[in-house]
């Protein structure tokens, strides 16, 4: 009996909390409390890669690449308007060319975004810089690369509670990679990537 009462109490409390609209939660949030957030999301990518190097290797690679990534990081909100964040993204992509190549990268990015309140979720417009260490692998060969670039994004943030929000983001990244070691025959390549991220933020 006590378990049933406890379950009903939790359900009622949870329902009342989640019934609050995003707008009311966001408008009553403090400017100075809970302005640090933990950010985690799953990202889907579609990329166009342009390779330089040995002509035979370049012809086998193909330009179309698809894949996914896992992203996490921390950020700071200032005046409920400016978001500063540092994010790590692990990227896995596969090519559509004859080489059956795969691309794996670990990216570290610094981001700045400006966020505007909206009843259906806050909208953010941001940009950042990216540093990356990557590997390119075919069936028999592999190479390692270092890269850098910039990104732009549009984000959506919906508060479920003062300490938890759902997020989505559409982004574009422009990267240039230079070979450090390996034998794939690819000395340099550029990546123009679009992505869609879905995740959450925990506000501390």
């Amino acid at each position: 009996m006590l378990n049933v009462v406890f379950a009903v109490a939790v359900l009622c409390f949870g329902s009342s909390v989640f019934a609050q609209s995003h707008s009311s939660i966001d408008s009553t949030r403090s400017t100075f409390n809970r302005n640090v957030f933990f950010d985690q999301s799953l990202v889907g990518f579609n990329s166009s890669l342009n390779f330089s190097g040995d002509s035979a290797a370049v012809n086998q690679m193909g330009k179309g690449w698809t894949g996914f990534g896992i992203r996490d990081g921390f950020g700071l909100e200032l005046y409920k308007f400016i978001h500063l964040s540092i994010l790590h993204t692990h990227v896995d992509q596969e090519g559509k060319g004859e080489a059956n190549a795969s691309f794996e990268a670990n990216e570290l990015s610094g981001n700045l975004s400006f966020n505007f309140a909206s009843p259906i979720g806050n909208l953010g417009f941001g940009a950042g810089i990216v540093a990356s260490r990557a590997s390119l692998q075919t069936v028999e060969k592999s190479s390692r690369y270092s890269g850098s670039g910039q990104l732009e994004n549009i984000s959506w943030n919906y508060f479920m509670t003062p300490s938890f929000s759902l997020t989505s983001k559409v982004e574009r990244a422009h990267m240039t990679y230079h070979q450090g070691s390996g034998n794939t025959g690819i000395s340099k390549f550029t990546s123009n990537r679009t992505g869609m991220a879905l995740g959450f933020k925990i506000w501390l």
Side-chain angles (χ1 to χ4, degrees):
M1 182 63 180
L2 289 176
N3 289 338
V4 174
V5 172
F6 178 75
V8 171
V10 170
L11 180 60
C12 291
F13 176 75
S15 298
S16 64
V17 171
F18 281 89
Q20 298 181 67
S21 69
H22 159 83
S23 183
S24 63
I25 294 172
D26 188 44
S27 62
T28 56
R29 289 194 306 126
S30 170
T31 305
F32 303 104
N33 294 328
R34 286 185 176 170
N35 59 345
V36 175
F37 57 84
F38 169 73
D39 189 335
Q40 188 165 55
S41 58
L42 182 65
V43 195
F45 296 117
N46 189 9
S47 304
S48 175
L49 273 61
N50 295 289
F51 298 93
S52 300
D54 180 77
S55 59
V58 169
N59 291 335
Q60 289 183 340
M61 283 296 176
K63 290 187 176 182
W65 293 65
T66 57
F68 69 95
I70 297 174
R71 176 175 294 157
D72 52 64
F74 285 91
L76 174 67
E77 182 183 64
L78 301 174
Y79 306 108
K80 298 171 69 172
F81 176 59
I82 299 171
H83 286 188
L84 302 170
S85 58
I86 297 176
L87 302 171
H88 170 265
T89 307
H90 179 78
V91 179
D92 281 298
Q93 295 191 93
E94 293 185 353
K96 300 177 182 178
E98 299 176 5
N100 293 321
S102 61
F103 171 78
E104 182 177 327
N106 285 289
E107 300 177 352
L108 187 65
S109 62
N111 301 270
L112 168 66
S113 66
F114 300 97
N115 296 266
F116 301 88
S118 164
I120 60 172
N122 295 346
L123 295 176
F125 301 88
I129 56 175
V130 188
S132 177
R133 298 299 298 268
S135 63
L136 182 67
Q137 185 162 351
T138 62
V139 176
E140 298 179 347
K141 301 178 180 179
S142 64
S143 293
R144 294 189 177 275
Y145 300 82
S146 59
S148 61
Q150 63 279 342
L151 57 85
E152 309 91 34
N153 59 65
I154 299 174
S155 61
W156 174 82
N157 187 66
Y158 189 94
F159 280 95
M160 303 294 289
T161 75
S163 59
F164 180 82
S165 63
L166 300 177
T167 64
S168 66
K169 183 181 293 184
V170 178
E171 64 183 37
R172 286 185 59 85
H174 315 276
M175 304 287 295
T176 300
Y177 290 89
H178 297 273
Q179 184 179 25
S181 62
N183 58 357
T184 58
I186 303 297
S187 59
K188 174 184 175 182
F189 65 92
T190 60
S191 170
N192 293 301
R193 185 181 77 201
T194 58
M196 175 70 181
L198 296 173
F200 64 87
K201 289 179 179 177
I202 296 176
W203 297 78
L204 308 173

